[in-house]
Amino acid sequence: MFGVIRTVGIIGPARASFFNPRALQASRPIAASVYNSFNKTSAPAAYRFTSSQRIIAENAKKHRPVSPDLTVYAPALTWYMSGSNRMAGISLSVGIMGGIAGMTLAPIIGFTPDSQTIINAVSTLPGPIFYGAKFLASGVVSYHVFYGIRFLLWSRAKLLSLKNVYTTGYIALAATLSSATYFTFF
């Protein structure tokens, strides 16, 4: 009964053709002949490699650096800001998901995640650790927000010249530093 059900409709024949290597053997000679005929005989002379060109191409591939080769280019502010924005977004996601998972799993290990317990735990931290963590967290959030505003301006095709890109980058960094400082101490 199940054999009849599997062959009815498209699922049965599709499954049979995907999992049956004999069904694919018929198409292999066709693909190989098309590839070989294009590379060797029927390709126009401008697209065919001579043996010396093939050797040169193979040797060039052996010594070719991984693309993009960062040693060729000078570091730019835009590289660092793009990479740090991605790291900020990832750290925000991991932090939020970790906090949610921690609050969800806390009752299992006997910790009651009410606000008074968390406030008492945070208040016992030494001052430099407390303010350092607060500056780091507010800096990550601020940077991601200000870089996001900058990106929204670019999405509207505004401030896309190289001078404006650097100017908005420095503005975003200054705004991040000032807002992180403000949120840390006030």
Side-chain angles (χ1 to χ4, degrees), residues 12-43:
R15 185 182 302 130
S17 64
F18 283 117
F19 294 114
N20 186 358
R22 291 183 196 163
L24 297 175
Q25 286 176 352
S27 65
R28 288 184 186 144
I30 296 169
S33 66
V34 168
Y35 175 77
N36 290 335
S37 65
F38 180 75
N39 280 338
K40 292 183 180 174
T41 57
S42 67

mmCIF file of all heavy atoms in Angstrom, residues 12-43:
data_model
loop_
_atom_site.group_PDB
_atom_site.id
_atom_site.type_symbol
_atom_site.label_atom_id
_atom_site.label_comp_id
_atom_site.label_asym_id
_atom_site.label_seq_id
_atom_site.Cartn_x
_atom_site.Cartn_y
_atom_site.Cartn_z
ATOM 1 N N GLY A 12 7.009 10.848 -5.208
ATOM 2 C CA GLY A 12 7.605 9.542 -5.479
ATOM 3 C C GLY A 12 8.604 9.569 -6.624
ATOM 4 O O GLY A 12 9.758 9.176 -6.453
ATOM 5 N N PRO A 13 8.231 10.024 -7.822
ATOM 6 C CA PRO A 13 9.198 10.067 -8.917
ATOM 7 C C PRO A 13 10.378 10.994 -8.631
ATOM 8 O O PRO A 13 11.498 10.697 -9.004
ATOM 9 C CB PRO A 13 8.377 10.584 -10.094
ATOM 10 C CG PRO A 13 6.974 10.265 -9.761
ATOM 11 C CD PRO A 13 6.882 10.324 -8.280
ATOM 12 N N ALA A 14 10.149 12.126 -7.951
ATOM 13 C CA ALA A 14 11.249 13.039 -7.646
ATOM 14 C C ALA A 14 12.227 12.386 -6.687
ATOM 15 O O ALA A 14 13.434 12.459 -6.868
ATOM 16 C CB ALA A 14 10.719 14.338 -7.055
ATOM 17 N N ARG A 15 11.688 11.711 -5.663
ATOM 18 C CA ARG A 15 12.560 11.040 -4.717
ATOM 19 C C ARG A 15 13.343 9.939 -5.399
ATOM 20 O O ARG A 15 14.539 9.785 -5.176
ATOM 21 C CB ARG A 15 11.724 10.460 -3.572
ATOM 22 C CG ARG A 15 12.594 9.839 -2.482
ATOM 23 C CD ARG A 15 11.795 9.227 -1.365
ATOM 24 N NE ARG A 15 10.913 10.187 -0.736
ATOM 25 C CZ ARG A 15 9.620 9.972 -0.514
ATOM 26 N NH1 ARG A 15 9.066 8.841 -0.868
ATOM 27 N NH2 ARG A 15 8.883 10.879 0.062
ATOM 28 N N ALA A 16 12.695 9.201 -6.285
ATOM 29 C CA ALA A 16 13.382 8.116 -6.984
ATOM 30 C C ALA A 16 14.501 8.658 -7.867
ATOM 31 O O ALA A 16 15.579 8.077 -7.947
ATOM 32 C CB ALA A 16 12.378 7.325 -7.820
ATOM 33 N N SER A 17 14.274 9.788 -8.534
ATOM 34 C CA SER A 17 15.311 10.301 -9.423
ATOM 35 C C SER A 17 16.465 10.932 -8.642
ATOM 36 O O SER A 17 17.607 10.875 -9.079
ATOM 37 C CB SER A 17 14.719 11.326 -10.385
ATOM 38 O OG SER A 17 14.254 12.448 -9.667
ATOM 39 N N PHE A 18 16.182 11.504 -7.460
ATOM 40 C CA PHE A 18 17.265 12.120 -6.696
ATOM 41 C C PHE A 18 18.126 11.084 -5.990
ATOM 42 O O PHE A 18 19.315 11.259 -5.840
ATOM 43 C CB PHE A 18 16.712 13.103 -5.664
ATOM 44 C CG PHE A 18 16.287 14.400 -6.263
ATOM 45 C CD1 PHE A 18 14.964 14.798 -6.210
ATOM 46 C CD2 PHE A 18 17.194 15.213 -6.894
ATOM 47 C CE1 PHE A 18 14.565 15.986 -6.760
ATOM 48 C CE2 PHE A 18 16.803 16.407 -7.441
ATOM 49 C CZ PHE A 18 15.479 16.791 -7.394
ATOM 50 N N PHE A 19 17.518 10.001 -5.538
ATOM 51 C CA PHE A 19 18.270 9.024 -4.775
ATOM 52 C C PHE A 19 18.722 7.831 -5.605
ATOM 53 O O PHE A 19 19.342 6.933 -5.082
ATOM 54 C CB PHE A 19 17.449 8.544 -3.577
ATOM 55 C CG PHE A 19 17.208 9.635 -2.583
ATOM 56 C CD1 PHE A 19 15.939 10.118 -2.356
ATOM 57 C CD2 PHE A 19 18.264 10.198 -1.900
ATOM 58 C CE1 PHE A 19 15.718 11.129 -1.446
ATOM 59 C CE2 PHE A 19 18.051 11.218 -0.987
ATOM 60 C CZ PHE A 19 16.777 11.684 -0.759
ATOM 61 N N ASN A 20 18.445 7.833 -6.868
ATOM 62 C CA ASN A 20 18.857 6.730 -7.726
ATOM 63 C C ASN A 20 20.021 7.200 -8.593
ATOM 64 O O ASN A 20 19.838 7.997 -9.506
ATOM 65 C CB ASN A 20 17.678 6.277 -8.601
ATOM 66 C CG ASN A 20 18.006 5.033 -9.405
ATOM 67 O OD1 ASN A 20 19.118 4.515 -9.340
ATOM 68 N ND2 ASN A 20 17.030 4.559 -10.152
ATOM 69 N N PRO A 21 21.224 6.687 -8.359
ATOM 70 C CA PRO A 21 22.353 7.142 -9.162
ATOM 71 C C PRO A 21 22.241 6.733 -10.630
ATOM 72 O O PRO A 21 22.791 7.374 -11.502
ATOM 73 C CB PRO A 21 23.563 6.496 -8.502
ATOM 74 C CG PRO A 21 23.045 5.477 -7.571
ATOM 75 C CD PRO A 21 21.612 5.785 -7.298
ATOM 76 N N ARG A 22 21.484 5.691 -10.920
ATOM 77 C CA ARG A 22 21.325 5.283 -12.319
ATOM 78 C C ARG A 22 20.544 6.318 -13.114
ATOM 79 O O ARG A 22 20.768 6.491 -14.295
ATOM 80 C CB ARG A 22 20.611 3.934 -12.396
ATOM 81 C CG ARG A 22 21.449 2.798 -11.896
ATOM 82 C CD ARG A 22 20.722 1.500 -12.068
ATOM 83 N NE ARG A 22 21.355 0.484 -11.260
ATOM 84 C CZ ARG A 22 20.805 -0.643 -10.947
ATOM 85 N NH1 ARG A 22 19.582 -0.918 -11.351
ATOM 86 N NH2 ARG A 22 21.446 -1.514 -10.229
ATOM 87 N N ALA A 23 19.636 7.015 -12.445
ATOM 88 C CA ALA A 23 18.862 8.033 -13.146
ATOM 89 C C ALA A 23 19.745 9.200 -13.554
ATOM 90 O O ALA A 23 19.489 9.864 -14.551
ATOM 91 C CB ALA A 23 17.730 8.523 -12.262
ATOM 92 N N LEU A 24 20.798 9.453 -12.805
ATOM 93 C CA LEU A 24 21.682 10.563 -13.128
ATOM 94 C C LEU A 24 22.770 10.194 -14.114
ATOM 95 O O LEU A 24 23.382 11.059 -14.730
ATOM 96 C CB LEU A 24 22.331 11.089 -11.848
ATOM 97 C CG LEU A 24 21.380 11.673 -10.807
ATOM 98 C CD1 LEU A 24 22.145 12.042 -9.561
ATOM 99 C CD2 LEU A 24 20.657 12.872 -11.372
ATOM 100 N N GLN A 25 23.042 8.907 -14.297
ATOM 101 C CA GLN A 25 24.115 8.490 -15.181
ATOM 102 C C GLN A 25 23.851 8.874 -16.631
ATOM 103 O O GLN A 25 24.779 9.144 -17.377
ATOM 104 C CB GLN A 25 24.340 6.990 -15.073
ATOM 105 C CG GLN A 25 25.033 6.607 -13.787
ATOM 106 C CD GLN A 25 25.163 5.109 -13.639
ATOM 107 O OE1 GLN A 25 24.603 4.360 -14.433
ATOM 108 N NE2 GLN A 25 25.894 4.679 -12.629
ATOM 109 N N ALA A 26 22.607 8.948 -17.014
ATOM 110 C CA ALA A 26 22.305 9.264 -18.401
ATOM 111 C C ALA A 26 22.690 10.703 -18.735
ATOM 112 O O ALA A 26 23.038 11.005 -19.871
ATOM 113 C CB ALA A 26 20.820 9.046 -18.672
ATOM 114 N N SER A 27 22.648 11.609 -17.768
ATOM 115 C CA SER A 27 22.960 13.011 -18.056
ATOM 116 C C SER A 27 24.448 13.307 -17.983
ATOM 117 O O SER A 27 24.897 14.310 -18.489
ATOM 118 C CB SER A 27 22.216 13.921 -17.088
ATOM 119 O OG SER A 27 22.687 13.701 -15.775
ATOM 120 N N ARG A 28 25.252 12.452 -17.367
ATOM 121 C CA ARG A 28 26.686 12.723 -17.225
ATOM 122 C C ARG A 28 27.421 12.769 -18.559
ATOM 123 O O ARG A 28 28.207 13.680 -18.772
ATOM 124 C CB ARG A 28 27.312 11.706 -16.284
ATOM 125 C CG ARG A 28 26.907 11.940 -14.855
ATOM 126 C CD ARG A 28 27.608 10.993 -13.932
ATOM 127 N NE ARG A 28 27.079 11.161 -12.588
ATOM 128 C CZ ARG A 28 26.918 10.180 -11.742
ATOM 129 N NH1 ARG A 28 27.246 8.955 -12.066
ATOM 130 N NH2 ARG A 28 26.444 10.410 -10.547
ATOM 131 N N PRO A 29 27.210 11.839 -19.471
ATOM 132 C CA PRO A 29 27.941 11.923 -20.743
ATOM 133 C C PRO A 29 27.580 13.173 -21.546
ATOM 134 O O PRO A 29 28.428 13.744 -22.212
ATOM 135 C CB PRO A 29 27.528 10.661 -21.487
ATOM 136 C CG PRO A 29 27.053 9.729 -20.447
ATOM 137 C CD PRO A 29 26.487 10.586 -19.363
ATOM 138 N N ILE A 30 26.344 13.628 -21.421
ATOM 139 C CA ILE A 30 25.927 14.823 -22.162
ATOM 140 C C ILE A 30 26.671 16.039 -21.628
ATOM 141 O O ILE A 30 27.241 16.828 -22.386
ATOM 142 C CB ILE A 30 24.407 15.024 -22.052
ATOM 143 C CG1 ILE A 30 23.687 13.858 -22.711
ATOM 144 C CG2 ILE A 30 23.989 16.348 -22.665
ATOM 145 C CD1 ILE A 30 22.213 13.825 -22.431
ATOM 146 N N ALA A 31 26.720 16.190 -20.298
ATOM 147 C CA ALA A 31 27.414 17.327 -19.710
ATOM 148 C C ALA A 31 28.898 17.277 -20.015
ATOM 149 O O ALA A 31 29.513 18.293 -20.346
ATOM 150 C CB ALA A 31 27.186 17.353 -18.202
ATOM 151 N N ALA A 32 29.489 16.092 -19.958
ATOM 152 C CA ALA A 32 30.915 15.974 -20.249
ATOM 153 C C ALA A 32 31.214 16.298 -21.702
ATOM 154 O O ALA A 32 32.203 16.953 -22.012
ATOM 155 C CB ALA A 32 31.393 14.565 -19.911
ATOM 156 N N SER A 33 30.364 15.860 -22.620
ATOM 157 C CA SER A 33 30.622 16.136 -24.032
ATOM 158 C C SER A 33 30.465 17.614 -24.347
ATOM 159 O O SER A 33 31.227 18.177 -25.125
ATOM 160 C CB SER A 33 29.697 15.298 -24.907
ATOM 161 O OG SER A 33 28.359 15.706 -24.723
ATOM 162 N N VAL A 34 29.493 18.281 -23.702
ATOM 163 C CA VAL A 34 29.334 19.720 -23.930
ATOM 164 C C VAL A 34 30.549 20.462 -23.405
ATOM 165 O O VAL A 34 31.098 21.333 -24.075
ATOM 166 C CB VAL A 34 28.044 20.227 -23.247
ATOM 167 C CG1 VAL A 34 27.998 21.748 -23.220
ATOM 168 C CG2 VAL A 34 26.829 19.671 -23.947
ATOM 169 N N TYR A 35 31.040 20.092 -22.225
ATOM 170 C CA TYR A 35 32.194 20.754 -21.640
ATOM 171 C C TYR A 35 33.439 20.534 -22.501
ATOM 172 O O TYR A 35 34.163 21.466 -22.818
ATOM 173 C CB TYR A 35 32.422 20.223 -20.219
ATOM 174 C CG TYR A 35 33.660 20.765 -19.573
ATOM 175 C CD1 TYR A 35 33.677 22.056 -19.068
ATOM 176 C CD2 TYR A 35 34.810 19.995 -19.477
ATOM 177 C CE1 TYR A 35 34.814 22.563 -18.473
ATOM 178 C CE2 TYR A 35 35.952 20.495 -18.883
ATOM 179 C CZ TYR A 35 35.942 21.782 -18.386
ATOM 180 O OH TYR A 35 37.073 22.285 -17.806
ATOM 181 N N ASN A 36 33.673 19.293 -22.877
ATOM 182 C CA ASN A 36 34.863 18.982 -23.664
ATOM 183 C C ASN A 36 34.819 19.612 -25.045
ATOM 184 O O ASN A 36 35.825 20.100 -25.551
ATOM 185 C CB ASN A 36 35.052 17.471 -23.778
ATOM 186 C CG ASN A 36 35.460 16.866 -22.446
ATOM 187 O OD1 ASN A 36 36.037 17.555 -21.612
ATOM 188 N ND2 ASN A 36 35.131 15.603 -22.249
ATOM 189 N N SER A 37 33.663 19.615 -25.668
ATOM 190 C CA SER A 37 33.591 20.179 -27.009
ATOM 191 C C SER A 37 33.782 21.688 -26.980
ATOM 192 O O SER A 37 34.394 22.263 -27.872
ATOM 193 C CB SER A 37 32.251 19.840 -27.662
ATOM 194 O OG SER A 37 31.207 20.473 -26.950
ATOM 195 N N PHE A 38 33.321 22.339 -25.934
ATOM 196 C CA PHE A 38 33.506 23.785 -25.854
ATOM 197 C C PHE A 38 34.970 24.118 -25.604
ATOM 198 O O PHE A 38 35.524 25.025 -26.193
ATOM 199 C CB PHE A 38 32.646 24.388 -24.749
ATOM 200 C CG PHE A 38 32.807 25.880 -24.623
ATOM 201 C CD1 PHE A 38 32.218 26.722 -25.549
ATOM 202 C CD2 PHE A 38 33.584 26.424 -23.620
ATOM 203 C CE1 PHE A 38 32.380 28.092 -25.451
ATOM 204 C CE2 PHE A 38 33.742 27.797 -23.518
ATOM 205 C CZ PHE A 38 33.145 28.626 -24.446
ATOM 206 N N ASN A 39 35.627 23.378 -24.726
ATOM 207 C CA ASN A 39 37.007 23.692 -24.378
ATOM 208 C C ASN A 39 37.993 23.316 -25.467
ATOM 209 O O ASN A 39 39.030 23.934 -25.588
ATOM 210 C CB ASN A 39 37.411 22.984 -23.082
ATOM 211 C CG ASN A 39 36.896 23.732 -21.882
ATOM 212 O OD1 ASN A 39 36.623 24.912 -21.973
ATOM 213 N ND2 ASN A 39 36.757 23.039 -20.780
ATOM 214 N N LYS A 40 37.697 22.290 -26.250
ATOM 215 C CA LYS A 40 38.719 21.794 -27.169
ATOM 216 C C LYS A 40 38.471 22.183 -28.617
ATOM 217 O O LYS A 40 39.352 22.697 -29.282
ATOM 218 C CB LYS A 40 38.816 20.277 -27.055
ATOM 219 C CG LYS A 40 39.371 19.834 -25.726
ATOM 220 C CD LYS A 40 39.517 18.360 -25.683
ATOM 221 C CE LYS A 40 40.071 17.932 -24.330
ATOM 222 N NZ LYS A 40 40.100 16.514 -24.175
ATOM 223 N N THR A 41 37.290 21.935 -29.131
ATOM 224 C CA THR A 41 37.145 22.038 -30.575
ATOM 225 C C THR A 41 36.209 23.132 -31.036
ATOM 226 O O THR A 41 36.576 23.928 -31.887
ATOM 227 C CB THR A 41 36.646 20.689 -31.123
ATOM 228 O OG1 THR A 41 35.424 20.369 -30.464
ATOM 229 C CG2 THR A 41 37.660 19.597 -30.881
ATOM 230 N N SER A 42 35.016 23.207 -30.477
ATOM 231 C CA SER A 42 34.021 24.098 -31.049
ATOM 232 C C SER A 42 34.108 25.526 -30.522
ATOM 233 O O SER A 42 33.409 26.392 -31.006
ATOM 234 C CB SER A 42 32.614 23.553 -30.782
ATOM 235 O OG SER A 42 32.355 23.601 -29.399
ATOM 236 N N ALA A 43 34.943 25.779 -29.531
ATOM 237 C CA ALA A 43 35.066 27.141 -29.026
ATOM 238 C C ALA A 43 35.802 27.995 -30.046
ATOM 239 O O ALA A 43 36.699 27.520 -30.731
ATOM 240 C CB ALA A 43 35.817 27.141 -27.710
#
